[in-house]
Amino acid sequence: MADPSPEVLISHIASSINSIRAGSGGVLLPQYRPYKIAENFKVLEALFPKRIDLGIGSSPGGSADTRLALTDDVRKSLNEFPR
């Protein structure tokens, strides 16, 4: 399921279940700040210990114009994502 705010949806799902894991299929790094992703998922892990999974992706996610609009015209090379 695609969602513009995976951490909000994951918290809702995790609060509705008791034993299975919940997580993201791939939070796209070009659309979010990596530190903010880490902070959000650390909070989820604290709320739902050992039940949260974080999948990340480095796909640009759309056309060049779309990518620039989503990242406030910040141009990042795909080579920067592993860092």
Side-chain angles (χ1 to χ4, degrees):
M1 170 182 258
D3 182 50
S5 184
E7 60 276 8
V8 173
L9 185 58
I10 290 167
S11 67
H12 177 71
I13 291 169
S15 67
S16 301
I17 57 177
N18 294 320
S19 59
I20 63 174
R21 299 177 68 87
S24 68
V27 176
L28 296 179
L29 290 178
Q31 275 44 326
Y32 301 93
R33 298 285 184 201
Y35 192 73
K36 186 62 176 170
I37 295 168
E39 287 178 326
N40 288 343
F41 277 82
K42 184 65 177 169
V43 169
L44 286 170
E45 176 63 24
L47 293 171
F48 308 102
K50 299 181 181 178
R51 294 184 38 225
I52 302 298
D53 292 321
L54 169 60
I56 56 174
S58 61
S59 170
S63 68
D65 290 338
T66 302
R67 185 171 58 246
L68 287 174
L70 290 172
T71 58
D72 296 324
D73 287 331
V74 174
R75 296 177 187 268
K76 286 187 176 180
S77 167
L78 291 178
N79 297 328
E80 291 184 41
F81 295 129
R83 180 182 54 80

